Structures are given as structure tokens and as C-alpha cells.
Amino acid sequence: MADNTKGLADVVAASTAVSDIDGRAGRLFYRGYDIHDLAGHATFEETAHLLQRGKLPNRAELQAFGDELVAGRELGPLVSANVAEIAGKQKPMEALRSLVSLASADDPDRDSVAPEADLRKAARLTAQQPLLVARYHAARSGKGVPEADPSLSIAGNFLLQVAGHAPSAREAEIFDECLVLHADHTMNASTFAARVCAATLSDMHSAIVAAIGTLKGPLHGGANEQVMKTLESISPDGVAQAVRDKLAAGEKIMGFGHRVYKTEDPRATHLRRMSEELSGDDPKYYRMSKEMEEVVFETKGLYPNVDFYAASVYHYLGIPTDLFTAVFSISRMSGWTAHVIEQHADNRLIRPDSEYIGERDQKWKPIDER
Ligand code: COA
């Protein structure tokens, strides 16, 4: 295999109308809409409708979709009966992998790959994911989950249910924008995993379980948690030195670099602004992040990706660090499910080839002669 195709770099693995990236210009589009026009304007609910149902909703469609999300939010008996035990034994992303798998048993459309069933499951999974994270966090903290506030969005209710107090209107808006920014991103590793699973005509929950397991890794969604750990582990006066030491030791700096973007990740532009706005009278992590960004660029020419400023933003919003990747999954659920719908609608098994690099012409020996 040529070195430049290792990791399938630049290989087109599917056709999609869900999202598009121009890596050279640093532009991202959801169904043709520029992320800079959606961020801060479209809500996460409108964005999920756009991704899953192919169009921005009008008022009536948004109302109907919102009602479907609220109706689909309730967790079924199998999930409810097991969340406490799982919370005691598994870390957040492991727990989500288990809980989404259990949720399929409670889903009335569990096995169907019919288009209408996929749309219903996409809405239910999008509505349930924030509640799964909140229920997990409450169970491990020995607390209950506050009732959802019908006047709040998915973003506002998540902050209410995880931080335990009603967010300010601005906090809810900022978190909503975070969800919009993370909603979809072409053929990223977890979406590809979901599509490979869906392309066997397996069901949507199975595809989402594959995606969650893939998002968990530190080279993908796990990077935002690692960014926060890095910020917490270095002294505010020693940022430049710590970055240089890590690079000299051959370590990667989490939250930097991207397979596709050759310039600034457009999502990072918004997240940097949000981090600055939220930093207020606690500017430590924002300032450290800015300095890290400068040093990494000077030393390696790398730009921050979506995970870099998301870390300080989530920190300022009061979200526990070990839930950062789970928060990513709340948003990306809207994109994953859109891709599963698209895959099922025009399917062909995804089965690439491999280059064999092992021994050849081996001679068989019975076990006692080996
Ligand atoms: N810190 C330091 N060096 C980095 C780096 C980082 N975050 N990201 C890439 N590089 C360097 C690699 O060491 C490599 O250098 P080399 O050619 O001298 O060996 C070169 O840049 C190419 O990196 P590679 O890992 O092969 O690129 P990729 O396209 O396979 O990987 C990422 C893309 C995102 C996985 C990679 O940039 C990375 O690991 N980033 C950190 C994890 C992260 O933030 N993930 C979230 C992505 S949204």
C-alpha cells in the first residue's frame, strides 16, 4: 500500500449529500449551508432536522420535530434498570456504548431498516443521548436527574440536568452553538464506522454503537478530554516550555492537526470566541489555550482543531472533564444517524481490499512437529 494512502487518506469512501469540507479554504457545509451561517443562527434542533430530513424546517416542521424529540426522549425499561450498575462499572464512553445497545431492545423499530423507521430512530437517538449522559452522571454521583424544563432546548436541558442548575440564556445559547458545530463532519472515523456497519443492512442502533466505540479514541473524539487534562497538568507560566518538551519527546499535542483541513478548522474559530467570552473573571484556561495555539503553530505549523477550544468552553460551562467526549456524541448523533439513513437509502456493502504483507508458501506441520 502506498504510504500516502495509509489510513485511507484522500480515498473517497462514499458519496454523501449530508456535509462537505473544503480543507484548503477551511470551509464546512451542512447540506450546502456554510457552518459560519448556521453557527449562532440555527439551533441544534433545526440542524438535526436539516441533517436527518434534508431541509431546514419551517416553523410548523420545527414544532412537529420538537414534539417528536420530546416524545422520543423517554428511556425504556431495560436502560433505566441498568444505568446505575453500568455507571458504577464503566467510564462514560464505555457506558454510552452499552446503554445505546440496550436502548435498541426498548425501541419499537429496533430491527427495521425501512426509511420511516430510520427517521423515527434518528429522532429518538438524538433525543435520548443527552438524557443517557445525564442519567449516567446522576447515577454515579448518587443523585437524581432534574425534570426537563419544557421551555428549554436540548442544549439548555442538558446543562440543567448535568450541572444541576438552570443555565443562563447565554450559556444555553453557547452550548447550543457547540452542538451545531460538532453535528457532522463528512467521512470522519466514527461516521465511517457507522456507515460500514449500516452497509451490511444492520440496524441503526448497531451502527451507532460502532460509531460510539470509534469516537471514544483519543485520535478522534477523545481528544477534547485530553486537551483539558493537558491544560490542567501544566503551569500557566510554563505553557511554552511544556509544549516544546512534549514535541521534543515526540508526543502529539491533543487538539491540533487535522487530516483534511490545511488551514484553520472553521469550527475552532467559533469555539475560540466562545472560550474567550466565557472566560470572564477566570481567564486562566483561555489564556493558556491561546499561548499553546501560538507555540504549536510556531513550532509545528499546526492549527487547532474542533477539540482544542471545545475543552475550555465545556470547562467554563461546568461540564465534568470526563464527559467531554460524551458531549461530542450528543451532537454527532444527529450526523451519524443522517449518514445511516443515507447509507440505507442507497446501499452497497462496504468491503475494501487489503494488501497482503505476510509470509507465503508456508508448509503445514502437524502440531507435535512445530
Ligand atoms: N501534535 C504534534 N504533531 C502532530 C500532531 C499533533 N497534534 N498532529 C500531527 N502531527 C504531526 C505528526 O507527528 C506527523 O509528523 P511526521 O510526519 O514528522 O511524523 C505529521 O504531523 C502528520 O501526522 P499524522 O498523525 O500522520 O496525520 P493524520 O492525518 O494521520 O492525523 C490527526 C490527523 C488528527 C489524527 C492528528 O493530527 C492527531 O493525532 N492530532 C491529535 C489528536 C486530535 O486532536 N484529534 C482530534 C481530531 S479532530
Side-chain angles (χ1 to χ4, degrees), residues 6-7 9 185 188 217-224 226-227 246-247 250-262 265 267 296 300 302-308 328 332:
K6 190 171 179 188
H185 210 229
N188 61 92
L219 295 187
H220 188 11
N224 56 12
Q226 299 306 320
V227 171
K246 280 178 188 293
L247 290 172
E251 278 181 46
K252 279 187 166 174
I253 312 292
M254 291 293 132
F256 288 89
H258 201 274
R259 177 62 68 78
V260 183
Y261 292 117
K262 305 299 172 215
D265 180 331
R267 304 164 300 173
V296 173
K300 290 286 282 187
L302 291 170
Y303 295 90
N305 58 46
V306 70
D307 291 305
F308 187 63
F328 192 154
R332 190 53 61 83

Side-chain angles (χ1 to χ4, degrees), residues 32-353:
Y33 293 92
D34 193 316
I35 193 67
H36 294 311
D37 292 330
L38 295 171
H41 298 115
T43 62
F44 177 59
E45 285 81 346
E46 286 175 277
T47 304
H49 189 287
L50 172 68
L51 295 172
Q52 294 169 357
R53 302 186 178 202
K55 66 187 281 268
L56 280 172
N58 61 28
R59 285 201 183 280
E61 287 162 340
L62 184 60
Q63 179 67 44
F65 188 54
D67 291 346
E68 194 177 336
L69 291 171
V70 170
R73 184 165 61 196
E74 250 351 279
L75 302 177
L78 195 62
V79 169
S80 298
N82 285 283
V83 69
E85 193 177 353
I86 286 174
K89 291 189 176 141
Q90 293 194 297
K91 292 183 180 171
M93 291 301 284
E94 296 163 352
L96 287 175
R97 204 183 52 210
S98 305
L99 291 168
V100 169
S101 190
L102 287 182
S104 81
D106 292 328
D107 196 293
D109 293 307
R110 54 194 279 188
D111 279 338
S112 173
V113 296
E116 322 75 58
D118 270 356
L119 281 175
R120 288 193 293 269
K121 284 189 282 193
R124 280 196 285 272
L125 281 157
T126 305
Q128 286 170 3
Q129 193 75 350
L131 191 56
L132 285 180
V133 180
R135 289 280 291 271
Y136 167 85
H137 182 57
R140 70 179 179 172
S141 317
K143 293 183 187 153
V145 175
E147 275 297 308
D149 176 343
S151 71
L152 291 178
S153 61
I154 287 182
N157 270 315
F158 178 74
L159 291 179
L160 168 72
Q161 293 183 320
V162 165
H165 62 267
S168 70
R170 185 63 190 137
E171 284 171 329
E173 265 172 29
I174 286 181
F175 187 56
D176 189 59
E177 192 175 339
C178 291
L179 295 183
V180 170
L181 290 170
H182 286 79
D184 197 49
H185 210 229
T186 71
M187 210 45 52
N188 61 92
S190 55
T191 300
F192 183 51
R195 287 191 77 130
V196 170
C197 182
T200 67
L201 294 185
S202 186
D203 64 283
M204 186 173 281
H205 283 80
S206 300
I208 298 305
V209 169
I212 291 173
T214 310
L215 187 72
K216 171 175 175 284
L219 295 187
H220 188 11
N224 56 12
E225 183 181 341
Q226 299 306 320
V227 171
M228 199 64 225
K229 288 185 173 157
T230 307
L231 290 170
E232 285 166 345
S233 71
I234 56 186
S235 145
D237 307 324
V239 172
Q241 195 54 48
V243 169
R244 290 196 184 102
D245 289 349
K246 280 178 188 293
L247 290 172
E251 278 181 46
K252 279 187 166 174
I253 312 292
M254 291 293 132
F256 288 89
H258 201 274
R259 177 62 68 78
V260 183
Y261 292 117
K262 305 299 172 215
T263 180
E264 172 145 313
D265 180 331
R267 304 164 300 173
T269 315
H270 293 272
L271 289 156
R272 185 192 294 106
R273 169 184 44 81
M274 291 179 212
S275 176
E276 181 175 18
E277 179 181 340
L278 289 169
S279 64
D281 48 13
D282 178 17
K284 181 170 108 174
Y285 290 126
Y286 170 68
R287 287 195 185 143
M288 289 174 73
S289 302
K290 278 286 288 172
E291 191 178 348
M292 268 180 90
E293 180 183 352
E294 282 157 22
V295 181
V296 173
F297 188 74
E298 271 163 33
T299 328
K300 290 286 282 187
L302 291 170
Y303 295 90
N305 58 46
V306 70
D307 291 305
F308 187 63
Y309 281 101
S312 48
V313 168
Y314 295 163
H315 170 82
Y316 287 130
L317 289 171
I319 298 169
T321 303
D322 71 346
L323 294 185
F324 285 8
T325 310
V327 166
F328 192 154
S329 79
I330 291 172
S331 168
R332 190 53 61 83
M333 186 64 83
S334 59
W336 288 331
T337 48
H339 280 271
V340 172
I341 291 167
E342 189 178 57
Q343 185 67 44
H344 281 162
D346 182 19
N347 191 60
R348 189 173 185 210
L349 181 76
I350 299 175
R351 200 294 189 196
D353 208 345

